[in-house]
Amino acid sequence: MPTVEVSFTALPAHVRTARLVALAVARRAGVDEQILDELRLAVGEACSRAVNVHQSKSPADAVVMRLTDEQDRFTVEVIDCGPLEDAVAEPDIDLEGNALSADGDTAESLPDLLPPGFGLAVISGLVEDVSVTSDVDGTHVRMTWPAVDVLAPGSH
Amino acid sequence: MDLSLSTRTEGDRTVVTVGGEIDVYTAPKLREQLIDLVSSGKYNLVVDMESVDFLDSTGLGVLVGGLKRVRAHEGSLRLVCTQERILKIFRITGLTKVFPIHASVDEALAATD
């Protein structure tokens, strides 16, 4: 059973709230301060991705974030209702080769979004213990960090 | 913390000072700012990120979009950042090779390619 479960409407404004909750629970679970910055970023990426998936697939459904504090580890699971298709796509950034000529109408039509799957690539770069699984109901991004066992003798 | 944005002109360059959190919610504001600048003929930008507390891949995407726009006009987009936690995402994504990243606004203003 998760320590804390947060369910939020798939709106970008709530991603910050999810980050703050994850950070607070992780800190209490004994995750090292040095790791909290990357945890905040990784949780933000996972929730942003979920919000984007929901907004295009099922905006009425809530995104779920489960935070689980086990003895010596802390797990964040972000669950969306979308397929994995963008999760498996390798990011393909071609910036150098894509320098635009000044004569086109391209500047206005350029997408600002990095390729789908980019957020997951960032997570993979940040978090050692991460798994992404998908079934008919959606995609689970599960990230685990080491934590101090605050109940163990001698940990204080 | 929300996103704060301010701009000022320094010679032929425009300094955009960004503060707060750049994420999926606030990134569109930065995107609009960069588009407005390019639309008004400002093609040499220095984005000062020293007061940025958080940057995610959506924010990176906006910066990449800005870079593409100024490059379309043979301009430049330089970043000012010394914060390790912000630099980390640039390194992970390989974008340190794409953006000139400077240690101070003065250094960015003095830089030439």
Side-chain angles (χ1 to χ4, degrees):
Chain A
M1 187 169 148
T3 308
V4 172
E5 180 169 308
V6 178
S7 164
F8 59 96
T9 310
L11 292 174
H14 298 322
V15 172
R16 176 167 185 266
T17 306
R19 285 200 304 268
L20 291 174
V21 171
L23 200 61
V25 180
R27 185 173 274 130
R28 193 177 179 284
V31 175
D32 193 284
E33 287 289 328
Q34 306 285 323
I35 303 176
L36 290 178
D37 269 331
E38 68 173 53
L39 183 145
R40 178 165 74 141
L41 180 54
V43 169
E45 294 293 347
C47 291
S48 302
R49 179 191 166 279
V51 165
N52 287 331
V53 167
H54 278 228
Q55 288 200 328
S56 63
K57 302 251 158 48
S58 62
D61 289 325
V63 173
V64 174
M65 177 177 74
R66 285 185 192 139
L67 310 170
T68 309
D69 173 14
E70 290 161 295
Q71 287 194 335
D72 56 353
R73 59 193 177 150
F74 179 72
T75 298
V76 180
E77 190 173 20
V78 177
I79 302 151
D80 67 57
C81 62
L84 190 59
E85 61 209 13
D86 76 319
V88 291
E90 282 294 307
D92 177 24
I93 311 173
D94 179 19
L95 295 164
E96 296 298 358
N98 256 345
L100 294 157
S101 57
D103 56 319
D105 56 351
T106 42
E108 283 306 309
S109 57
L110 276 175
D112 270 343
L113 291 173
L114 291 168
F118 194 82
L120 285 173
V122 170
I123 292 172
S124 305
L126 280 172
V127 187
E128 258 176 52
D129 188 350
V130 57
S131 74
V132 182
T133 55
S134 192
D135 57 30
V136 287
D137 294 326
T139 300
H140 295 233
V141 178
R142 190 183 162 90
M143 304 170 282
T144 301
W145 288 272
V148 177
D149 183 358
V150 288
L151 297 176
S155 69
H156 287 282
Chain B
M1 195 189 302
D2 211 336
L3 185 75
S4 68
L5 288 170
S6 66
T7 63
R8 67 175 196 273
T9 304
E10 294 274 352
D12 65 339
R13 298 186 185 179
T14 302
V15 180
V16 183
T17 306
V18 191
E21 300 186 347
I22 311 176
D23 73 351
V24 66
Y25 178 57
T26 62
K29 290 178 203 164
L30 176 61
R31 178 175 184 268
E32 266 176 46
Q33 174 76 79
L34 296 178
I35 290 173
D36 284 351
L37 287 170
V38 173
S39 302
S40 59
K42 313 287 191 194
Y43 304 139
N44 290 292
L45 309 179
V46 173
V47 179
D48 179 0
M49 305 182 62
E50 288 297 73
S51 301
V52 171
D53 180 54
F54 181 85
L55 173 73
D56 72 3
S57 65
T58 317
L60 280 181
V62 168
L63 292 171
V64 169
L67 182 66
K68 286 182 177 177
R69 285 189 174 85
V70 295
R71 276 192 184 167
H73 299 277
E74 286 161 21
S76 61
L77 192 159
R78 298 173 183 282
L79 303 177
V80 177
C81 182
T82 58
Q83 299 187 75
E84 186 51 39
R85 62 177 168 187
I86 304 294
L87 289 171
K88 188 167 189 175
I89 189 170
F90 284 96
R91 275 202 291 274
I92 287 171
T93 53
L95 290 174
T96 43
K97 298 186 204 101
V98 175
F99 289 102
I101 300 179
H102 300 277
S104 69
V105 171
D106 285 345
E107 186 188 302
L109 289 172
T112 50
D113 286 323

